[in-house]
Amino acid sequence: MAETIYQQLRAHVHELRLTAIAEQLAPALEAAERDKPSYTQFLAELLAHEVTAVEQRRLQGRLRFAKLPARRTLDQFDFSAQPSLDRRLIEDLATLRFVEDKANVLLIGPPGVGKTLLATILGHRAVEAGYRVYYTTAAELVARTAKAAIEGRWANTMRFWNGPQLLIVDELGYLPLADEAASHFFQVVSRRYEHGSIVLTTNRHIVDWGHVFHDTTVAAAILDRLLHHATVLSINGDSYRMRAHRDAVASLRPAITGGEFS
């Protein structure tokens, strides 16, 4: 009879797709026979395995959807190399209060100062906290909206861009966004205004956005919506890549001057 009940129990958990419980059922029953926990404790521990597995699957699903660059943590960011940054402000952003408030973050600075790294750190923090996140470049965003307009999928695409609680738009300003591209970018920002957060990185100062979009009116309209509820961070330090290059060259100088490569 005990075996029959066990088989029924296994059938039930498989039918309900409780995969973690199915895996833990036999060892959990063996431990229960040995340790004699209360029914409540036994059930709580068994269900905890399933909850943990479900949360992990959901996390992996959010990570796949987000398409974020490799995971980085705040501890990996070199604040000493960027003295213009207020570390306390970055740590406050890392609490993700801005996502809850549907506010934006603008990271402005030359190439190589850590804008994308900070955006990625915030993105991973948000994914791990249960938020729906999506990463894209500005060029990819307007390419997808242009294709959607041609193929008659504009409404669906706009719903997609409005869906994530946090949208990360990287590398604005490296390529000009004129005419339809500027209009499409405005549409995305406008639809997300006070509905979801944007983290945006750009190498162009705000006063230069008229050149980025080839239209000062469109640029002003985009900025009006982005800046209404926003934290703006200007990073003016050295490029990490250039500094690494200088360090590598400096490390070779003793060998060169000493005649090792002569």
Side-chain angles (χ1 to χ4, degrees):
M1 178 64 71
E3 175 129 351
T4 302
I5 294 174
Y6 173 73
Q7 293 299 330
Q8 289 176 349
L9 186 55
R10 283 191 58 83
H12 289 330
V13 295
H14 280 292
E15 181 68 22
L16 294 171
R17 298 182 180 179
L18 302 175
T19 54
I21 288 181
E23 293 173 358
Q24 293 293 325
L25 188 58
L29 288 171
E30 289 178 8
E33 290 179 2
R34 182 184 66 250
D35 301 332
K36 302 294 190 295
S38 68
Y39 297 126
T40 303
Q41 182 182 350
F42 172 75
L43 183 59
E45 291 175 355
L46 202 56
L47 289 174
H49 289 292
E50 190 65 36
V51 169
T52 299
V54 169
E55 289 175 346
Q56 188 61 30
R57 287 197 298 271
R58 288 174 178 170
L59 171 60
Q60 293 305 315
R62 291 194 302 273
L63 283 171
R64 285 192 297 272
F65 175 81
K67 299 186 183 302
L68 284 162
R71 185 179 184 273
R72 296 289 186 272
T73 67
L74 206 54
D75 292 337
Q76 293 172 291
F77 190 84
D78 186 1
F79 283 96
S80 65
Q82 306 299 349
S84 63
L85 276 177
D86 184 343
R87 180 166 187 158
R88 287 176 298 179
L89 179 56
I90 300 298
E91 289 172 345
D92 181 66
L93 290 172
T95 67
L96 306 174
R97 183 161 50 92
F98 78 96
V99 180
E100 197 64 31
D101 293 342
K102 299 178 176 61
N104 305 316
V105 178
L106 272 65
L107 300 165
I108 304 172
V113 295
K115 303 184 302 297
T116 298
L117 177 57
L118 283 173
T120 299
I121 289 169
L122 294 175
H124 278 283
R125 279 283 185 104
V127 168
E128 290 162 5
Y131 293 105
R132 193 167 172 83
V133 178
Y134 191 80
Y135 169 91
T136 185
T137 63
E140 180 189 7
L141 187 153
V142 296
R144 289 182 62 175
T145 54
K147 184 178 180 182
I150 293 170
E151 296 176 352
R153 297 182 292 103
W154 179 261
N156 287 340
T157 299
M158 286 298 105
R159 280 195 293 271
F160 172 83
W161 292 120
N162 200 35
Q165 291 157 294
L166 174 59
L167 176 65
I168 298 175
V169 182
D170 203 8
E171 299 179 348
L172 176 68
Y174 287 93
L175 297 173
L177 304 179
D179 303 324
E180 285 188 355
S183 175
H184 292 176
F185 194 89
F186 167 75
Q187 289 289 333
V188 172
V189 171
S190 180
R191 287 171 184 260
R192 290 190 61 83
Y193 175 60
E194 296 189 330
H195 288 281
S197 297
I198 294 175
V199 170
L200 186 144
T201 77
T202 177
N203 66 325
R204 303 291 292 271
H205 195 276
I206 286 170
V207 297
D208 296 327
W209 280 26
H211 299 296
V212 174
F213 295 103
H214 290 206
D215 188 322
T216 56
T217 301
V218 172
I222 292 171
L223 283 167
D224 179 61
R225 288 157 177 78
L226 281 175
L227 296 178
H228 185 204
H229 308 290
T231 299
V232 180
L233 297 173
S234 293
I235 311 175
N236 302 311
D238 291 336
S239 164
Y240 287 103
R241 288 181 286 273
M242 290 302 296
R243 191 170 65 255
H245 174 71
R246 288 197 302 270
D247 291 344
V249 171
S251 67
L252 289 174
R253 281 175 184 158
I256 295 172
T257 57
E260 185 175 330
F261 295 99
S262 59

